[in-house]
Amino acid sequence: MRPFDPETIARYARSGQWGAETFFDLFAANAAAGPDAIAIADPPNRPALVAGLSERLSYREALRRIEATAQLLHRSGLRAGDVMLVQMPNIHELIIVYLAAARAGVVVSPVPVQYRHHELSYIVSTLAPKAFCSVARLGETPLIESFRGKTGFDGTIFGVGDGLPAGAIDLRAAWADDGNAGELPEPAGDPNAVFTICWTSGTEGRPKAVPRTHNNWLASAEWTLRSMQLKRGDALLVMFQLVNAAAFGGLMAPWLRTAGMLALHHPFDIEVLLRQLAEEKITYTLVAPALVASILTRAESGDAAVQLHALKAIGTGSAPPDPSLIARFEARFSIPVANVFGSNEGAQLCSAATDVPDPRTRARLFPRDGDEGWTDKRTANGGIYRLVDLETGERITAPGRIGEMRISGPATFPGYFERGTFNRANFDGDGFFSTGDLFELVEGEDGCGYVRFVGRSKEIIVRGGMKI
C-alpha cells in the first residue's frame, strides 16, 4: 500500500528526509550492534492492568519474539498490505506486535484502550481489517470478547493473557515455539508503504483514519534527536498511549534511532512514574503540562522521590503550558522543557531551549521555522507551512491576523483512509493539507519571528465581522 507517487518519493529521498529503512530494519540493526542491551521495559505496575509479570527484554530476546510473531502472522494468512486492528495498553507485547507487523509488511491500526463497540464498529466498517490483536482482559473488561460480540468482526484474532476466548490465537504460544522460519519470506517492509493507520480524536464528529508510512514517522524523529541532545543508548519513557503522533513520532521513532531503552508506563501512577524516572535513568520523555505541574509540586513540597538526575530534557504537549510553570520547573531542576505541538496528520511545531532560550516565551510561542517564503528553515519534522485567511484565502505574511495553518512535507500524511482509498479533499491545489488549526504571526521582544496557536477553526464564530 504505497500512497505516494514515485516523484514525491524520489524528491524526499534526494533531500535525505526519506530513507530505505523500516521500523523493523532499524530495530534489527540495533539488535545486531548490541544484542544484550535492554530494549524494552514493561510498566512496573503492569499486573494492575493486565495479566503477566513485568518483563525487561534484551534486543536479542525482543528480536526473537518479533520474528516469531511475524511468522505467526504469515502462517495465519496475513500478507503485506493487510490491516490489523490493535487495541492494547503500553506493554512490551504491543511493541513486539508493531515491529512484527513492520517485518511482515502488515499495516497496524492502533486504537485507544478506552474505545468500545460504538467507535470500534465504525472503525471495522471503515478499515475492513483482516485481524484484531488485543489482551484477554483489561482490568475487569474482557476486551476481546466484547469486541467480537459487538462489532460483527469475523476475522483472525490474536491475544495475550490468561483466559483467551475460544478461537483467539495466543501470541505467547508462538514465542515458546518459534515455528518454521522458512514459512516467512524475506522482510516485506517498504519504508514508503503505509505502516500505521491512526485515528483523530473525533472532535469534528466521527474519528478519521490517518495513514502514515515508515518514512512519514521517521521524519518526525530528527528534531527530537537534535534538540533534546539524545545520544546512542539513551533511555526514553512513553507516557502517552502508543496510538498517535506523540508516541510514534515523538518517542518510538527516536528510540529506534538511538538504540536505547524504551520504558513503558501504563496505567498512570505518579509513584510508579517517579520510580521509573529515577531507576531507569530516563533521559527524555513527553508528558502533558498537568504532569509537569505535579512533579514540580511534589519537589517543592520536599518529596525525596523526585529524582530527575538523568533527565536531559522533557517535552510537553496536548495543551498549551503555563509560562510560569515552565519557568519554575527549569529554575528548580535546570532541565529544559520543550513545548511541542503536533497532529497525526503531520503537523509538528516545537519550541526548545536551543531555539528559544526564555522559558516563558517558549511556553507561548513557536519559532517561525517552516513558514514558506519567510525562511529556508523547516519545521521540526522537516516540513513547510503557510498561514491562510479563512475568508479570503489570502496568504498571511505579517502579524495581526489569524489564519489557518496548511502544511506540506515529509511527515505529512497522504490523505484520510476511506475503504482502500486516500481522500485528499482537505488538500489545496499546491498539495498543502488544511489542518483546521489557527495561528497568528508574532514578533518577539528579541526581534525574532514566532507563531502562536490560537485554536481550531471549528471553534471560531464570525459575528458582525468579528472573530469570536
Coordinates of all heavy atoms in Angstrom, one line a residue, residues 78-116:
L78 N -2.0 -13.5 7.0 CA -1.8 -12.1 6.8 C -0.6 -11.8 5.8 O 0.4 -12.5 5.9 CB -1.6 -11.3 8.1 CG -2.8 -10.9 8.8 CD1 -3.6 -12.0 9.3 CD2 -2.5 -9.9 9.9
R79 N -0.8 -10.9 4.9 CA 0.2 -10.6 3.9 C 0.4 -9.1 3.9 O -0.3 -8.3 4.5 CB -0.3 -11.1 2.5 CG -0.4 -12.6 2.4 CD 0.9 -13.3 2.5 NE 0.8 -14.7 2.4 CZ 0.7 -15.6 3.4 NH1 0.6 -15.1 4.7 NH2 0.6 -16.9 3.2
A80 N 1.5 -8.7 3.2 CA 1.8 -7.3 3.1 C 0.6 -6.5 2.6 O 0.0 -6.8 1.6 CB 3.0 -7.1 2.2
G81 N 0.3 -5.4 3.3 CA -0.8 -4.5 2.9 C -2.1 -4.8 3.7 O -3.0 -4.0 3.7
D82 N -2.2 -6.0 4.3 CA -3.4 -6.3 5.1 C -3.4 -5.5 6.3 O -2.3 -5.1 6.9 CB -3.4 -7.8 5.5 CG -3.7 -8.7 4.3 OD1 -4.3 -8.2 3.3 OD2 -3.4 -10.0 4.4
V83 N -4.6 -5.2 6.8 CA -4.7 -4.3 8.0 C -5.0 -5.1 9.3 O -5.9 -6.0 9.2 CB -5.8 -3.3 7.8 CG1 -6.0 -2.4 9.0 CG2 -5.5 -2.4 6.6
M84 N -4.3 -4.9 10.3 CA -4.6 -5.5 11.6 C -5.0 -4.4 12.6 O -4.2 -3.5 12.9 CB -3.4 -6.3 12.1 CG -3.6 -6.9 13.5 SD -2.4 -8.2 14.0 CE -0.9 -7.2 13.9
L85 N -6.1 -4.5 13.2 CA -6.6 -3.6 14.3 C -5.9 -4.0 15.6 O -5.9 -5.2 15.9 CB -8.1 -3.6 14.4 CG -8.8 -2.5 15.2 CD1 -8.5 -1.2 14.7 CD2 -10.3 -2.8 15.2
V86 N -5.4 -3.1 16.3 CA -4.7 -3.4 17.6 C -5.2 -2.5 18.7 O -5.2 -1.3 18.6 CB -3.1 -3.2 17.4 CG1 -2.4 -3.5 18.7 CG2 -2.6 -4.0 16.3
Q87 N -5.6 -3.2 19.8 CA -6.1 -2.4 21.0 C -5.4 -3.0 22.2 O -5.9 -4.0 22.8 CB -7.6 -2.5 21.1 CG -8.2 -1.7 22.2 CD -9.7 -1.8 22.3 OE1 -10.3 -2.8 22.2 NE2 -10.3 -0.6 22.6
M88 N -4.3 -2.4 22.6 CA -3.5 -2.9 23.7 C -3.0 -1.8 24.5 O -2.7 -0.7 24.0 CB -2.3 -3.8 23.2 CG -2.8 -5.0 22.4 SD -1.3 -5.9 21.7 CE -0.8 -6.8 23.2
P89 N -2.8 -2.0 25.8 CA -2.1 -0.9 26.6 C -0.6 -0.9 26.3 O -0.1 -1.7 25.5 CB -2.4 -1.4 28.1 CG -2.5 -2.9 28.0 CD -3.2 -3.1 26.6
N90 N 0.1 0.0 27.0 CA 1.5 0.1 26.8 C 2.2 -1.0 27.6 O 2.7 -0.9 28.7 CB 2.0 1.5 27.3 CG 1.7 2.6 26.4 OD1 1.1 2.4 25.3 ND2 2.0 3.8 26.8
I91 N 2.3 -2.2 26.9 CA 3.1 -3.3 27.4 C 4.0 -3.8 26.3 O 3.8 -3.4 25.2 CB 2.1 -4.4 27.9 CG1 1.2 -4.9 26.8 CG2 1.3 -4.0 29.1 CD1 0.3 -6.0 27.1
H92 N 5.0 -4.6 26.7 CA 6.0 -4.9 25.7 C 5.4 -5.7 24.5 O 6.0 -5.6 23.4 CB 7.2 -5.7 26.4 CG 6.9 -7.2 26.6 ND1 6.4 -7.6 27.8 CD2 6.9 -8.3 25.8 CE1 6.2 -8.9 27.8 NE2 6.5 -9.3 26.6
E93 N 4.4 -6.5 24.7 CA 3.8 -7.2 23.6 C 3.3 -6.2 22.5 O 3.3 -6.6 21.3 CB 2.6 -8.0 24.1 CG 3.0 -9.2 25.0 CD 3.0 -8.9 26.4 OE1 3.1 -7.7 26.8 OE2 2.9 -9.8 27.2
L94 N 2.9 -5.0 22.9 CA 2.4 -4.1 21.9 C 3.6 -3.7 20.9 O 3.4 -3.6 19.7 CB 1.9 -2.8 22.6 CG 1.4 -1.7 21.7 CD1 0.3 -2.1 20.8 CD2 1.0 -0.4 22.5
I95 N 4.8 -3.4 21.5 CA 5.9 -3.1 20.7 C 6.3 -4.3 19.8 O 6.7 -4.1 18.6 CB 7.1 -2.7 21.6 CG1 6.7 -1.6 22.6 CG2 8.3 -2.3 20.7 CD1 6.2 -0.4 21.9
I96 N 6.2 -5.5 20.4 CA 6.6 -6.7 19.6 C 5.6 -6.8 18.4 O 6.0 -7.1 17.2 CB 6.5 -8.0 20.5 CG1 7.4 -7.9 21.6 CG2 6.7 -9.2 19.6 CD1 8.9 -7.8 21.2
V97 N 4.3 -6.6 18.6 CA 3.3 -6.7 17.5 C 3.6 -5.6 16.5 O 3.6 -5.9 15.3 CB 1.9 -6.5 18.1 CG1 0.9 -6.3 17.0 CG2 1.5 -7.8 18.9
Y98 N 3.9 -4.4 16.9 CA 4.2 -3.4 15.9 C 5.3 -3.7 15.0 O 5.3 -3.6 13.8 CB 4.4 -2.0 16.6 CG 3.2 -1.3 17.2 CD1 3.4 -0.3 18.1 CD2 1.9 -1.6 16.7 CE1 2.3 0.3 18.7 CE2 0.8 -1.0 17.3 CZ 1.0 0.0 18.2 OH -0.1 0.7 18.8
L99 N 6.4 -4.1 15.6 CA 7.6 -4.4 14.9 C 7.5 -5.7 14.0 O 8.1 -5.8 13.0 CB 8.8 -4.5 15.8 CG 9.2 -3.2 16.5 CD1 10.3 -3.3 17.5 CD2 9.6 -2.1 15.4
A100 N 6.7 -6.7 14.5 CA 6.5 -7.9 13.7 C 5.6 -7.5 12.5 O 5.9 -8.0 11.4 CB 5.7 -8.9 14.6
A101 N 4.7 -6.6 12.7 CA 3.9 -6.2 11.5 C 4.8 -5.5 10.5 O 4.6 -5.7 9.3 CB 2.8 -5.3 12.0
A102 N 5.7 -4.6 11.0 CA 6.6 -4.0 10.1 C 7.5 -5.0 9.4 O 7.8 -4.8 8.2 CB 7.5 -3.0 10.9
R103 N 7.9 -6.0 10.1 CA 8.7 -7.1 9.5 C 7.9 -7.8 8.3 O 8.5 -8.2 7.3 CB 9.0 -8.1 10.6 CG 9.6 -9.5 10.1 CD 11.0 -9.3 9.6 NE 11.7 -10.6 9.4 CZ 11.6 -11.3 8.3 NH1 10.8 -11.0 7.3 NH2 12.3 -12.5 8.2
A104 N 6.6 -8.0 8.5 CA 5.8 -8.7 7.5 C 5.1 -7.8 6.5 O 4.4 -8.3 5.6 CB 4.8 -9.6 8.3
G105 N 5.2 -6.5 6.7 CA 4.5 -5.6 5.8 C 3.1 -5.4 6.1 O 2.3 -4.8 5.3
V106 N 2.6 -5.9 7.3 CA 1.2 -5.7 7.7 C 1.0 -4.3 8.2 O 1.8 -3.8 8.9 CB 0.9 -6.8 8.7 CG1 -0.5 -6.5 9.3 CG2 0.9 -8.2 8.1
V107 N -0.1 -3.7 7.9 CA -0.5 -2.4 8.4 C -1.2 -2.5 9.7 O -2.1 -3.3 9.9 CB -1.4 -1.7 7.4 CG1 -1.8 -0.3 7.9 CG2 -0.8 -1.6 6.0
V108 N -0.7 -1.8 10.7 CA -1.4 -1.8 12.0 C -2.2 -0.5 12.2 O -1.8 0.6 11.8 CB -0.3 -1.9 13.2 CG1 0.4 -3.2 13.2 CG2 0.7 -0.8 13.1
S109 N -3.4 -0.7 12.8 CA -4.3 0.4 13.1 C -4.5 0.4 14.6 O -5.3 -0.4 15.1 CB -5.6 0.3 12.4 OG -6.4 1.4 12.7
P110 N -3.7 1.2 15.4 CA -3.9 1.2 16.8 C -5.0 2.0 17.3 O -5.2 3.1 16.8 CB -2.5 1.7 17.3 CG -2.1 2.6 16.2 CD -2.6 2.0 14.9
V111 N -5.7 1.6 18.3 CA -6.8 2.4 18.9 C -6.7 2.4 20.4 O -6.2 1.5 21.0 CB -8.2 1.8 18.5 CG1 -8.4 1.8 17.0 CG2 -8.4 0.3 19.0
P112 N -7.1 3.5 21.0 CA -7.0 3.6 22.5 C -7.8 2.5 23.2 O -8.8 2.0 22.7 CB -7.7 5.0 22.8 CG -7.6 5.7 21.5 CD -7.7 4.7 20.4
V113 N -7.3 2.1 24.3 CA -8.0 1.0 25.1 C -9.4 1.4 25.6 O -10.2 0.6 26.0 CB -7.1 0.5 26.3 CG1 -5.8 -0.1 25.7 CG2 -6.8 1.7 27.2
Q114 N -9.6 2.8 25.6 CA -10.9 3.2 26.0 C -12.0 3.0 25.0 O -13.2 3.1 25.3 CB -10.9 4.7 26.4 CG -10.0 5.1 27.6 CD -8.5 5.4 27.1 OE1 -8.1 5.0 26.0 NE2 -7.8 6.0 28.0
Y115 N -11.7 2.8 23.7 CA -12.7 2.6 22.7 C -13.5 1.4 23.0 O -13.0 0.4 23.3 CB -12.0 2.5 21.3 CG -11.7 3.8 20.7 CD1 -11.7 5.0 21.4 CD2 -11.3 3.9 19.3 CE1 -11.3 6.2 20.8 CE2 -11.0 5.1 18.7 CZ -11.0 6.3 19.4 OH -10.7 7.4 18.8
R116 N -14.8 1.5 22.7 CA -15.7 0.4 22.9 C -16.5 0.2 21.5 O -16.1 0.7 20.5 CB -16.7 0.6 24.0 CG -16.0 0.6 25.4 CD -15.3 -0.7 25.7 NE -14.7 -0.8 27.0 CZ -13.4 -0.6 27.2 NH1 -12.6 -0.3 26.2 NH2 -12.9 -0.6 28.4

